[in-house]
Amino acid sequence: MTRSRVQGEDTNGGATAAPEREEAVRGDGDNGVNDIKGGIKGDTGSETESKTEAEAEGDTERAPEGPRPRRRRRVLRWTAVVLAVVLAGTAGAGYLYYEHLNDNIKQDTLNLGDSKVAAPTPNAAGQTPLNILVIGSDARDSKENQQLGGARETFGSTPLADVQMLVHLSADRSNMSVVSMPRDTLLEIPRCTDPEDGEVYPASEGRVMANQSLGHGGPGCAVATWQELTGIHIDHFVMVDFAGVVSMADAVGGVPVCVDANIHSRDASGHGSGLKLAKGTHPVKGEQALQWLRTRYGFEDGSDLARAKAQHMYLNSMVRVLRENATLSSPNKLRRLAEEATAALTVDPGLDSVKKLYDLSDELREVKPERITMTTMPNRYVGARVEPTEDAEQLFRLVREDIALDGRDKKKPDAEPQPPADPAAPDAELAVQVRNGTHTDESGTAPGRASTIAGLLVERGFTKAVADPSVLPSEKRTVIRYPSADLEGDARRVAKALGIPASSVKRSTDVSGVTLVVGADWREGTAYKAPGSDDRTPESAEALNGADDSACMHVNPGFTWS
């Protein structure tokens, strides 16, 4: 009785305050009252029954009425003592179990990088979006993880962030967007400091694979890397390892996935996850669920991009299972899920308790599956690796500006920018560096654009404007960047002089002064015409709707069986 109640209590967020705990205990006590009263009624009932039989046989004598109330009082006093013990025991068990679940949860620092990204501005209702980085670690640091991960040569090695997904919950909580980054993405990892021993991991020399960020001090470096790349403020992270994926899949009773042909993910050299499924839809759990999430060999072209699609399908299905599977109303199921989930997770301090995790899940659960959009960061191949494309920046912008990826947002009025902290300097004293970012895959770089626009600024009184002769990677839209609040007024003044919208003025630690980057939208002429706002999700993001249960992974013919 006590255990059942405690399970229910903890799956509802645990005993977070004394009044709530007392209320939950009273509920348990009520059940205890009924059980105990039932037992007492059974005893007295049998006595009454025998008296009735005696009366039927003609024995109508009864004991005097006087002593009976005294006996009832003794029974009630005994019942009250028993209830007091039951209630005290329940309260203690509930508290101890709640603390046990809290102790299961591991935590780490949220952000190990030096630069920070400002939190988004609240909307008219005072609401802000929520961004959570979900990390799947390939750590072989325990017996369970070694058994599931294989590759003995990697036991005890630096863990890699082989799964990275940014979950964006809109400010009004009406929709959710998920952006996956392929683990093979080439990017720069910023300088990170391990909070435990103070070890400083210098910024990467050039671009390296994204999954290496986890080994630079922990998940907080993966957060810093995402923020540097996307400009998106990240509020929390959640990290899970091999064993955690298996145990959580078991706890929900399996997740349905689909393949369009028989598959066995194993090549002649023994590479592959080992996944073996027949054509069609099957619930996977345990080690098979982990195999599904890790499979590259056998899905489509065998790349990490195909694996990301399979992971999206799995997550979509898990959301539906959690919503639709009535067996999860079972206290035992919920208790097991709570136990396995808390033991599997490493989180930042903002999510370090059952109550905080429950509150977060409650917010996520409010979003209907049809308003969930799964995407993969648009990318192109660089040898065997990939890099973000111009479409990736478009996707990141939509997330930064809290624009739903399913295209079902109501049109939001343009927000009036707040006045800068410091006014602009006189035009003639305002230093501006102009750079050429006009490169596109189709047309290359428009030559001389930095010099042309710097000359235009000089003509308009900005005599300290200079052109940088170097050529930048592509900048889809013209942008003006400034490094600190005291130069915001200067940056806005330059934008106004050239007719560049205030939304294209950005603060950035990548520049040392006011810097105008001429983008691919201004390849010719001296009059800037801002392109129309395109808030569509790029097709290259391969969006998958959360309510789509018809998706099926294509099996590479080289990995099928009959």
Side-chain angles (χ1 to χ4, degrees):
M1 175 186 67
T2 300
R3 182 178 300 170
S4 172
R5 180 57 197 167
V6 170
Q7 291 156 1
E9 176 183 310
D10 280 296
T11 54
N12 282 307
T16 60
E20 292 178 4
R21 187 156 59 241
E22 288 170 5
E23 183 177 356
V25 168
R26 289 191 196 104
D28 206 354
D30 290 342
N31 293 335
V33 170
N34 291 335
D35 291 345
I36 294 169
K37 283 184 178 178
I40 294 171
K41 285 179 180 177
D43 293 341
T44 57
S46 59
E47 181 184 354
T48 304
E49 182 177 338
S50 61
K51 283 182 178 292
T52 304
E53 291 172 355
E55 288 173 359
E57 292 171 358
D59 184 2
T60 56
E61 280 189 5
R62 296 187 181 185
E65 294 291 326
R68 294 189 66 182
R70 198 176 304 122
R71 181 173 182 274
R72 287 194 195 99
R73 284 194 294 272
R74 284 200 300 272
V75 169
L76 289 172
R77 280 198 298 272
W78 175 83
T79 303
V81 171
V82 171
L83 282 176
V85 173
V86 170
L87 292 175
T90 303
Y95 176 76
L96 291 175
Y97 187 70
Y98 176 70
E99 288 302 306
H100 161 70
L101 291 179
N102 282 340
D103 289 342
N104 275 352
I105 303 168
K106 300 175 284 293
Q107 65 167 295
D108 215 323
T109 305
L110 174 61
N111 189 337
L112 303 182
D114 296 328
S115 62
K116 309 298 179 185
V117 174
T121 303
N123 63 16
Q127 303 164 307
T128 54
L130 194 63
N131 295 306
I132 306 150
L133 185 62
V134 178
I135 304 167
S137 166
D138 79 339
R140 271 80 164 178
D141 56 356
S142 68
K143 184 177 179 180
E144 293 83 0
N145 283 330
Q146 289 170 2
Q147 182 178 2
L148 294 166
R152 289 183 175 275
E153 68 275 9
T154 65
F155 287 6
S157 61
T158 302
L160 299 172
D162 274 356
V163 177
Q164 298 183 49
M165 294 182 177
L166 180 67
V167 177
H168 172 84
L169 185 60
S170 66
D172 63 6
R173 303 308 191 251
S174 67
N175 66 87
M176 187 190 307
S177 303
V178 179
V179 180
S180 287
M181 181 192 294
R183 70 170 189 169
D184 295 342
T185 300
L186 293 176
L187 45 66
E188 295 181 359
I189 298 176
R191 178 178 181 270
C192 292
T193 304
D194 190 328
E196 290 192 10
D197 56 16
E199 181 176 356
V200 176
Y201 295 83
S204 61
E205 296 182 3
R207 299 192 301 177
V208 297
M209 284 173 55
N211 65 351
Q212 295 182 26
S213 61
L214 186 59
H216 289 226
C221 195
V223 169
T225 301
W226 268 81
Q227 290 199 159
E228 286 284 325
L229 176 68
T230 66
I232 298 169
H233 174 80
I234 295 177
D235 302 281
H236 301 293
F237 74 78
V238 175
M239 184 170 71
V240 63
D241 58 15
F242 286 152
V245 171
V246 170
S247 60
M248 291 173 69
D250 285 347
V252 299
V255 176
V257 295
C258 177
V259 287
D260 66 0
N262 299 342
I263 182 175
H264 187 200
S265 177
R266 187 76 72 200
D267 66 10
S269 302
H271 298 131
S273 70
L275 177 71
K276 189 171 185 179
L277 285 176
K279 176 182 179 180
T281 300
H282 309 274
V284 294
K285 61 181 179 178
E287 186 173 359
Q288 200 172 46
L290 177 64
Q291 289 173 336
W292 177 273
L293 293 169
R294 296 180 61 207
T295 294
R296 284 193 298 140
Y297 295 95
F299 285 156
E300 299 186 353
D301 62 356
S303 71
D304 198 47
L305 307 179
R307 173 162 54 187
K309 289 176 66 174
Q311 291 167 352
H312 291 165
M313 181 188 299
Y314 181 92
L315 288 176
N316 276 351
S317 294
M318 178 173 273
V319 168
R320 289 193 294 271
V321 166
L322 290 171
R323 283 177 167 274
E324 299 168 7
N325 192 342
T327 62
L328 287 179
S329 62
S330 158
N332 286 335
K333 286 270 188 180
L334 287 170
R335 179 180 180 275
R336 184 179 178 191
L337 182 57
E339 191 79 43
E340 301 292 0
T342 52
L345 300 180
T346 300
V347 299
D348 66 273
L351 294 176
D352 64 353
S353 72
V354 172
K355 176 66 166 60
K356 293 174 184 177
L357 287 169
Y358 179 82
D359 288 346
L360 172 62
S361 68
D362 210 28
E363 287 196 84
L364 296 174
R365 197 165 53 242
E366 290 298 313
V367 182
K368 297 178 180 178
E370 56 267 26
R371 295 302 315 276
I372 299 174
T373 306
M374 301 273 187
T375 64
T376 299
M377 181 196 75
N379 58 81
R380 57 177 160 248
Y381 278 105
V382 181
R385 310 302 180 199
V386 299
E387 65 181 4
T389 63
E390 296 81 3
D391 282 352
E393 173 52 32
Q394 165 74 349
L395 186 64
F396 298 152
R397 181 184 69 82
L398 295 178
V399 175
R400 282 196 303 268
E401 297 179 9
D402 197 25
I403 297 171
L405 299 187
D406 60 8
R408 294 172 56 185
D409 261 348
K410 295 179 180 178
K411 182 65 178 175
K412 301 173 183 176
D414 294 333
E416 285 292 327
Q418 295 291 324
D422 291 329
D427 294 352
E429 298 177 14
L430 202 158
V432 187
Q433 184 182 63
V434 184
R435 308 191 71 184
N436 189 342
T438 58
H439 178 84
T440 67
D441 292 340
E442 297 78 18
S443 307
T445 300
R449 292 303 291 162
S451 297
T452 299
I453 303 307
L456 176 63
L457 283 169
V458 170
E459 289 176 10
R460 297 187 179 181
F462 296 86
T463 55
K464 290 189 176 182
V466 294
D468 183 336
S470 63
V471 175
L472 294 176
S474 177
E475 192 79 54
K476 192 171 184 179
R477 300 182 67 161
T478 298
V479 63
I480 299 175
R481 297 189 173 99
Y482 62 96
S484 54
D486 60 311
L487 292 178
E488 181 180 2
D490 293 355
R492 287 205 204 172
R493 172 64 192 132
V494 174
K496 186 175 181 180
L498 295 175
I500 297 171
S503 60
S504 294
V505 178
K506 309 286 185 182
R507 183 170 177 174
S508 171
T509 56
D510 292 335
V511 296
S512 58
V514 176
T515 303
L516 165 61
V517 181
V518 184
D521 59 344
W522 200 7
R523 292 177 58 86
E524 58 185 23
T526 56
Y528 179 71
K529 183 178 180 181
S533 178
D534 182 3
D535 293 342
R536 294 173 297 177
T537 300
E539 289 186 11
S540 56
E542 299 186 332
L544 176 66
N545 187 271
D548 184 358
D549 59 1
S550 64
C552 208
M553 287 303 298
H554 174 62
V555 175
N556 187 311
F559 289 85
T560 192
W561 53 274
S562 57

